[in-house]
Amino acid sequence: MFVLQWISYGKDVIEFDLPDDCECFEIEPNRIKAASEPLLEVENALNAPIGVRLEDLIAPGKRVCIISDDISRPTPVWLILRSLLPRLEALGTRREDIFFVLALGSHRKMESREICEKLGEEVLSEYRVLQSSFTDPNSLILVGTTENGIGIEVYRDVMDSDVRIGIGNIAPHGTLGWSGGAKILFPGVTSERTVSRFHMKAAMLSNSYFGDADNPVRHDIEQWAETIGLHFIVNTVLLGGGEIYRVVAGHPVLAHRKGVSFGREVYFVKAPHRADIVLVDSHPSDGDFWQGTKGFYPSDILLRDGGTSLLVAPCYEGEGPHPIYARMIGDDNAETVLEALCQDGKTENWDPLAVAVGAQLSRMRRRYHMSMYTNGLPDEVLARAKIRRVRDIGRELARLLNRYGEGARLAIVRCGAEVVPEISESP
């Protein structure tokens, strides 16, 4: 006898059969009631900001830069702006003194329809909207140096303002522990060289900080964001389906930590034990290979050594912005390459960002087997990453259950780019 199961594939669902005697448990965001009135939730957050008020920052004549995340993130920025913009104008800010910067990080430029979807048609037509540049030296400016000697280069137009407000979403993140907060500024609108050095430092740490806000990497970016000057944030906490659960506003660190406490309620999920096999989707980070591999992070928590992670990710836009990334995942000596780059600093012929993140994934791959179901990547990309291609999920699971034998444990993880499993048993 068989039981029908499912896993997300972008906006679609793939169904498959499992033997009814399979020892299987499911992990997905906790089922929590969404805010009944999302706009009211935004207004409540702005009415009771944490640590700093807009009234303390805004005055007539001051130029305000609103920094928003891009289309790869699910934040309903347009909804936040319905409450934020009237407040800024009520405090005396003229429309011509407000402008937007879309924080692309290393991502591609957004199309006009995507900007309209993100910010709203009125904002796109009535306000100046820019997209940050990651690589153009003429659009970047040096604003300081970290204690480790890393130059902080920022998108020049961001600094052409008196007040900087960041809008983003708080969810578990593989490098920083959690997204949101200062991340919108750093690495959101900093240069390739600045971001790369930051990621290289993070990758040299052996610990995984997925779901841990109190970590040295996040502390660093918050200190650097203070140097740059991020004055106020508005951050959402979303449920697995994208609905607003909570909104926080105020100080970039204090408000962020309150948001993390709400995020834990959604994304920290109890797991009864470790598994031999993890079937995981990459929702909501499924646009390309660079984003989609975030689904491997919960597998790293759940799997026993030698287990198998089967990642399901459509990768609609293919390999993404870092062609060397797949090769670094597949390089058994990726950490040696990373260490050499960190020591001599000569990154001209490398993509240090891809080396850094690739080294983290390479470390995972050498602990457990990686496989992937996707229609968005050619065979050679997966071959470079040493990730097994799967063409039939049900058939592959049957093969793996047989391989691991009687008592094999399977975990099905949904919203895998953001769910943090909490293991009940000891390792």
Side-chain angles (χ1 to χ4, degrees):
M1 298 290 291
F2 291 90
V3 177
L4 187 64
Q5 270 286 6
W6 63 276
I7 194 77
S8 294
Y9 186 73
K11 296 180 180 180
D12 298 319
V13 167
I14 296 175
E15 295 181 336
F16 55 92
D17 290 325
L18 280 180
D20 59 2
D21 61 350
C22 172
E23 188 172 345
C24 174
F25 61 94
E26 301 172 43
I27 298 287
E28 59 185 26
N30 293 309
R31 298 182 183 275
I32 299 176
K33 185 178 180 181
S36 57
E37 297 183 53
L39 182 57
L40 180 60
E41 184 69 24
V42 176
E43 292 174 348
N44 288 341
L46 290 170
N47 286 336
I50 300 167
V52 64
R53 306 179 307 159
L54 284 173
E55 291 84 350
D56 302 325
L57 303 169
I58 304 299
K62 286 192 174 183
R63 286 175 51 76
V64 178
C65 175
I66 299 176
I67 311 168
S68 158
D69 56 14
D70 69 3
I71 199 65
S72 70
R73 303 297 191 261
T75 316
V77 177
W78 60 272
L79 180 68
I80 293 169
L81 295 177
R82 285 176 56 186
S83 181
L84 177 62
L85 289 174
R87 288 169 186 265
L88 296 178
E89 294 186 11
L91 291 170
T93 307
R94 301 175 303 174
R95 287 199 174 193
E96 54 265 37
D97 287 333
I98 300 172
F99 68 99
F100 291 81
V101 171
L102 294 160
L104 302 183
S106 66
H107 305 163
R108 65 163 175 81
K109 292 284 187 181
M110 290 170 59
E111 299 175 5
S112 294
R113 62 174 180 80
E114 293 172 327
I115 300 174
C116 186
E117 177 184 338
K118 192 71 176 177
L119 303 181
E121 186 174 353
E122 180 181 352
V123 169
L124 184 57
S125 63
E126 298 189 16
Y127 293 85
R128 183 181 178 215
V129 178
L130 306 170
Q131 301 191 60
S132 69
S133 173
F134 191 58
T135 57
D136 178 12
N138 294 323
S139 68
L140 299 161
I141 184 172
L142 180 67
V143 299
T145 304
T146 72
E147 60 182 16
N148 297 320
I150 300 173
I152 305 174
E153 298 171 321
V154 184
Y155 184 58
R156 186 181 298 273
D157 285 276
V158 166
M159 303 309 296
D160 187 23
S161 60
D162 303 297
V163 179
R164 288 173 280 281
I165 299 173
I167 300 179
N169 183 58
I170 296 174
H173 186 274
T175 303
L176 298 178
W178 289 81
S179 63
K183 186 177 184 294
I184 195 68
L185 197 65
F186 187 100
V189 294
T190 50
S191 73
E192 180 178 27
R193 180 165 49 184
T194 299
V195 175
S196 297
R197 296 293 295 178
F198 151 73
H199 273 282
M200 286 162 64
K201 176 185 176 182
M204 291 298 292
L205 302 173
S206 59
N207 293 346
S208 172
Y209 296 115
F210 188 55
D212 178 8
D214 187 20
N215 70 75
V217 184
R218 173 160 279 282
H219 291 166
D220 276 352
I221 72 157
E222 288 169 344
Q223 290 177 4
W224 301 342
E226 185 176 352
T227 298
I228 300 169
L230 180 63
H231 304 100
F232 195 89
I233 65 167
V234 186
N235 280 184
T236 57
V237 177
L238 305 179
L239 301 180
E243 309 93 339
I244 284 181
Y245 173 53
R246 292 287 186 269
V247 179
V248 293
H251 188 275
V253 177
L254 300 178
H256 179 264
R257 295 302 190 272
K258 182 63 176 178
V260 166
S261 71
F262 293 133
R264 290 177 63 93
E265 295 173 6
V266 178
Y267 291 110
F268 271 54
V269 183
K270 296 292 184 183
H273 44 66
R274 298 186 186 275
D276 302 288
I277 309 158
V278 171
L279 173 66
V280 55
D281 66 43
S282 62
H283 186 77
S285 300
D286 45 27
D288 57 32
F289 185 61
W290 175 252
Q291 294 291 324
T293 49
K294 291 179 179 179
F296 283 122
Y297 283 94
S299 295
D300 198 43
I301 298 173
L302 278 173
L303 279 173
R304 295 191 177 101
D305 290 352
T308 297
S309 175
L310 170 48
L311 174 64
V312 178
C315 300
Y316 301 112
E317 297 184 12
E319 194 170 1
H322 302 282
I324 197 177
Y325 181 51
R327 180 163 73 84
M328 296 313 303
I329 294 174
D331 190 338
D332 293 341
N333 297 306
E335 287 148 308
T336 302
V337 176
L338 175 64
E339 186 174 358
L341 287 179
C342 287
Q343 288 178 352
D344 64 26
K346 296 178 180 179
T347 61
E348 292 82 3
N349 298 321
W350 291 90
D351 178 348
L353 179 56
V355 172
V357 181
Q360 291 178 312
L361 270 291
S362 173
R363 189 182 301 137
M364 296 180 196
R365 179 189 56 76
R366 284 173 278 135
R367 190 180 73 79
Y368 62 83
H369 304 285
M370 289 182 172
S371 55
M372 193 166 179
Y373 177 93
T374 180
N375 292 320
L377 299 171
D379 290 343
E380 54 266 27
V381 171
L382 295 182
R384 289 200 304 272
K386 296 182 181 175
I387 296 175
R388 172 187 169 89
R389 178 181 286 282
V390 171
R391 302 187 186 278
D392 186 305
I393 293 174
R395 185 173 298 175
E396 178 66 8
L397 289 177
R399 186 188 73 82
L400 290 171
L401 289 168
N402 181 67
R403 172 187 173 183
Y404 288 104
E406 185 176 354
R409 292 171 168 177
L410 166 67
I412 299 176
V413 182
R414 304 188 179 97
C415 291
E418 297 178 343
V419 164
V420 182
E422 293 186 290
I423 308 295
S424 300
E425 68 175 16
S426 58

